[in-house]
Amino acid sequence: MYRLYFILILTINFCSDSIFAQGSNDLNNRVEEIAKKYMDSLGIVGMSVSVIHNDDIKFKKSFGYANLELDVPMTNSSVYRIWSVSKQFCAVSILKLETTDKLELSDPISKYLDSIPGTWKDITIEQLLNHTGGIKDYLNDFKEGQKLHSTSFEIVKDSTRVLKFSSGNDWSYTNTGYWILTKIIESVSGQKYQDYLQNEYFTPLNMKNTQKMDYFNIIKNRVNGYRNVKGVMKNSTRYLDENHLADGDAELISNNEDLSIWTKALFSGEIIELDLLEKAWNYSKYNNGDKIDASSIIYYDEYASYGMGWFISELAGQKIIWTPGAGRGFSTSIFSVPSSDLNIIVLCNARRFLIADKIAKDIATEIVNRN
């Protein structure tokens, strides 16, 4: 079922892999038009997109710049901050550990973690995955002056002990939940979370450019992030101390090449059996049985819902699933239409909320409507 992959990455240099082989130049041109339209109209500095069909990369192209100050063009090796696309790796890790009987999604997190607030004890692993646990988001639910984004997990635990709602009765996107999930992964695997990712995925799959973000180390081909302020381009990535870089939620950097490897391996069943992975692609529900409503975040789709690590909706009668990343200087997305075996990756070094999702969806719409 999942033997057809489309991954899009837009970069400035033309690559020998044309987007769709001979006879498909019109569609190739149309995809480029969509990308350039967004770049021109929104002032996006650079973008990367990739298309994979039947395990073959059919298209790699890049537009714009990785660094304006040094006139560095974007290439397929350019390394982006992928923000919440990092959650895909965390969610898959939890599912993989369930397949080896290390945990159950229905387990309360208190089974694996000591010294947690009493209000957390009945929250399940699944509720952390689908954001129905009620735990406040350390990045967005507090005033800037509290600086929970630059403090320790112990302080975050104490500050989030009062829930936003009782678990399972509502939905609120929370990065804190995925940080907690990494603590569970560490507890049952006996490894530090980043070591787990390296040993389970990055090394076996030869993903050489994917790692935890580090503001101080020299990272080859690092992309600079930007934001457009009243028509004037500004550097977007300000200094944040390393405590901001919690695991599981938004900490990874990667590029089109590595994310293509990851997506191909994931959708081929190499990483985890697809029938088990599909659990993450099913609509999650509240305690009362109603489907989760995630339209408060996905402002452009009133039907958006959520699974476990993926948002869910429909396109031309087909289910679509995607993991977006949005943060200072970057917008990223891995967007898929499973029934059409279609996967799209869009990476932008622009601070525009969910713009990579919209670009990916436009490209997916173009492809689906032609098939």
Side-chain angles (χ1 to χ4, degrees), residues 15 27 111 153 163 187 220 247 266 330 349:
C15 301
L27 185 53
K111 181 176 179 179
F153 182 65
L163 301 182
S187 175
K220 188 176 180 180
D247 288 323
L266 189 62
F330 298 93
N349 61 340

Side-chain angles (χ1 to χ4, degrees), residues 50-67:
S50 208
V51 179
I52 300 173
H53 178 219
N54 288 333
D55 291 337
D56 292 326
I57 297 176
K58 301 297 184 181
F59 174 77
K60 280 187 182 180
K61 206 155 189 195
S62 289
F63 297 88
Y65 289 87
N67 188 299

Side-chain angles (χ1 to χ4, degrees), residues 30 38 43 45 50 81 87 113 142 150 156 160-161 188 192 209 222 252 270 281 289 325:
R30 179 63 185 128
Y38 278 99
V45 174
S50 208
R81 178 81 183 268
K87 290 183 173 69
L113 300 176
F142 296 89
S150 58
V156 168
T160 58
R161 63 177 57 251
V188 301
K192 290 293 186 181
N209 300 287
R222 190 202 299 255
L252 296 179
E270 181 180 348
W281 301 339

